[in-house]
Amino acid sequence: AEEIRKCSEITGLPVIIGEFHAGALDVGLPSNGLRGMKNQTERGKFYSWYVEHGASIPELVGTHYFQWNDQPVLGRFDGENCNIGLIDVCGKPYEDMMKYVKLTHRRLYDICSNLTLPTKNPLRL
């Protein structure tokens, strides 16, 4: 939070996080991307924590989750083959993760308005 505030103060502009994600190895893909979690439920908890804490920082105007679907097991054009999507390569949502995504989005306006505190860090990140 402090780094975001400092960036905003230096530039005089709001900040947006252009890409974040978390993956797990429990669905058969060989890579979990930048932030490895134990399973899809833990990915959901991470999502809630990250997005809700972002929403509580006035200088941060948004976070962008990368990406909609998982990458193919044989890799995309640059070889990445991560479980980082909200849906798998067949278009099926990760229900355990989506439960937290939906919960988070229902809470965002109250968090931005300081009516509700963001989720405490359940993963000790």
Side-chain angles (χ1 to χ4, degrees):
E2 197 54 44
E3 290 176 357
I4 291 169
R5 287 185 184 101
K6 187 172 183 172
C7 287
S8 180
E9 182 181 308
I10 290 169
T11 64
L13 299 168
V15 176
I16 188 166
I17 294 175
E19 180 179 318
F20 80 98
H21 67 260
L25 301 177
D26 65 334
V27 295
L29 288 168
S31 178
N32 55 20
L34 296 175
R35 174 68 77 165
M37 299 290 130
K38 185 168 56 173
N39 54 41
Q40 301 308 302
T41 299
E42 298 297 307
R43 288 180 68 213
K45 289 177 182 179
F46 172 79
Y47 181 93
S48 290
W49 172 77
Y50 196 92
V51 172
E52 289 182 16
H53 278 271
S56 72
I57 303 168
E59 296 83 2
L60 185 65
V61 296
T63 57
H64 171 262
Y65 188 81
F66 179 82
Q67 66 185 20
W68 175 247
N69 58 287
D70 279 344
Q71 297 166 333
V73 71
L74 296 178
R76 61 180 198 172
F77 69 93
D78 61 358
E80 283 189 11
N81 52 0
C82 305
N83 163 236
I84 55 175
L86 299 176
I87 65 172
D88 66 19
V89 294
C90 296
K92 183 180 174 196
Y94 288 110
E95 293 300 331
D96 290 343
M97 181 173 181
M98 292 305 293
K99 175 176 72 174
Y100 288 96
V101 170
K102 291 173 186 177
L103 175 66
T104 296
H105 291 200
R106 284 193 298 266
R107 295 169 37 86
L108 282 182
Y109 284 110
D110 285 344
I111 292 168
C112 289
S113 302
N114 293 318
L115 299 173
T116 301
L117 293 174
T119 299
K120 291 185 179 181
N121 184 350
L123 304 171
R124 295 184 174 93
L125 299 171

